[in-house]
Amino acid sequence: MSELRYGWTTGACATAATKAAHTALLTGEFPDPVEIVLPKGQRPAFALAVEELGDGVATAGIVKDAGDDPDVTHGALVRSTVRLGEPGTGVVFRAGPGVGTVTKPGLPLDVGEPAINPVPRRMMREVLGGADAVVEISVDGGEELARRTWNPRLGILGGLSILGTTGVVVPYSCSAWIDSIRRGVDVALAAGRAHVAGATGSTSERVAAELHGLPDDALLDMGDFAGAVLKYVRRHPVPRLTIAGGIGKLAKLANGHLDLHSKRSQVDFGALAALVGEGETAERVRHANTALDALRICQAAGLPLGDLVAARARAVALDVLRGAPVEVDVVVIDRAGTIVGRAP
């Protein structure tokens, strides 16, 4: 099997497009391909898909190539429109169509700012070489694509964020998801939320939100990354954290796994049997096919496996939190969304 192909971030594409547009403004010609230097020294070159030169304004566009990563923005057309600014004004960034605007505090940008993150901004300033300029970044179809990201929940409305700390998209990297978890905590804290919830999926998220009456910006897109939530909340404490998930995922957390993905951790039926104790039911749990099967075995025997898993998962979470001032509760559900266990 060949090695997976790396790609380029929206920030790298926007930077290259900005360099091309600015060069065209100064020289009347678009460099194609256009080369930029990334934060770690790589020098990728980008082919231009759009070249438009007018009176005092130039637009260049680049189609994003995310490599072999299943990135929602793969194939999106990222445009930069550059106009020369008034002397001494520096670089002014604007959100064009398809690029969002920050509407909630807690992100690394002020409310009202275009959702163009700090590193891409720095990269664009560098390729402009200290020029005074107005830079408008847009993404064709970006508003629709943004609905498939965490932007609406984070308070970034109207389109995508222009992202990237290295300029490189690593295939199947967990970093983007974990960064969204961190931003979710930041936004919740900035909004004054005293209670947040991390859920393994949409059903458990709905259950936690309804159970505790939590607003949208108090819900963290935890997924399989329980450890990422716990470690970030340890450093940035929220008074109360609810962890919600299916019996299978939380059985893994109960056994000390902080990454709950099926490729990186498995349900330990011996550990589940040990929670039950001894006897015929424990032995049947030991040989169960799935965690849900084990739950049904215990329910038939009148044993609260869901509560036992919740209590043990809570103990693991508290251990990871290392005494941080965070109250933790755990909610375990079945596939239908019925609560089958809680702790404390």
Side-chain angles (χ1 to χ4, degrees):
M1 181 178 176
S2 61
E3 187 174 331
L4 291 174
R5 190 170 58 89
Y6 283 31
W8 312 113
T9 63
T10 50
C13 295
T15 299
T18 296
K19 180 178 179 180
H22 184 241
T23 301
L25 266 185
L26 298 180
T27 68
E29 297 289 336
F30 288 88
D32 189 11
V34 56
E35 182 183 276
I36 61 171
V37 181
L38 298 180
K40 292 187 177 181
Q42 302 101 317
R43 305 180 72 95
F46 297 81
L48 297 185
V50 172
E51 299 179 9
E52 298 172 0
L53 181 59
D55 185 14
V57 59
T59 298
I62 290 169
V63 175
K64 176 178 171 176
D65 180 0
D68 289 324
D69 192 70
D71 191 307
V72 68
T73 57
H74 177 69
L77 179 59
V78 180
R79 302 174 188 256
S80 177
T81 298
V82 179
R83 297 173 175 83
L84 296 182
E86 295 296 323
T89 57
V91 180
V92 177
F93 292 100
R94 292 181 179 167
V99 171
T101 299
V102 177
T103 66
K104 291 183 180 180
L107 296 170
L109 299 166
D110 292 336
V111 171
E113 280 290 308
I116 303 169
N117 273 21
V119 172
R121 288 183 184 227
R122 188 182 76 224
M123 291 167 60
M124 283 183 262
R125 289 190 179 100
E126 288 173 355
V127 298
L128 289 169
D132 298 302
V134 178
V135 178
E136 179 180 290
I137 306 299
S138 60
V139 180
D140 288 19
E143 187 167 2
E144 178 62 30
L145 290 173
R147 296 191 182 101
R148 294 155 57 190
T149 73
W150 295 292
N151 276 14
R153 177 168 293 175
L154 295 174
I156 297 170
L157 302 183
L160 294 162
S161 301
I162 303 302
L163 302 172
T165 55
T166 65
V168 178
V169 174
V170 179
Y172 294 90
S173 169
C174 302
S175 60
W177 194 312
I178 291 172
D179 186 63
S180 291
I181 289 171
R182 293 169 176 167
R183 299 293 77 79
V185 174
D186 293 343
V187 167
L189 286 170
R193 304 301 178 199
H195 185 180
V196 299
T200 60
S202 58
T203 302
S204 53
E205 180 179 88
R206 174 182 55 78
V207 170
E210 292 175 356
L211 180 66
H212 295 299
L214 296 174
D216 205 45
D217 61 7
L219 304 176
L220 310 175
D221 290 286
M222 183 177 78
D224 291 317
F225 301 106
V229 169
L230 292 166
K231 291 171 186 176
Y232 197 71
V233 169
R234 181 176 72 206
R235 299 192 300 272
H236 304 271
V238 181
R240 185 175 180 186
L241 168 66
T242 294
I243 297 174
I247 183 75
K249 297 285 189 183
L250 294 190
K252 296 178 187 181
L253 179 59
N255 201 38
H257 295 290
L258 300 182
D259 185 337
L260 310 181
H261 194 280
S262 58
K263 291 185 178 179
R264 297 182 286 272
S265 60
Q266 301 296 323
V267 174
D268 185 335
F269 292 97
L272 281 181
L275 287 178
V276 173
E278 298 180 355
E280 179 183 349
T281 301
E283 196 59 26
R284 290 181 64 197
V285 167
R286 191 183 308 277
H287 295 95
N289 293 321
T290 64
L292 195 59
D293 184 30
L295 175 66
R296 288 168 178 161
I297 290 168
C298 290
Q299 286 174 328
L303 294 173
L305 180 62
D307 289 335
L308 296 171
V309 166
R312 183 63 197 139
R314 179 175 181 269
V316 170
L318 291 173
D319 187 55
V320 175
L321 287 168
R322 297 180 188 171
V326 181
E327 180 184 339
V328 178
D329 69 283
V330 176
V331 179
V332 181
I333 66 167
D334 63 14
R335 285 185 180 172
T338 302
I339 295 175
V340 295
R342 291 183 68 181

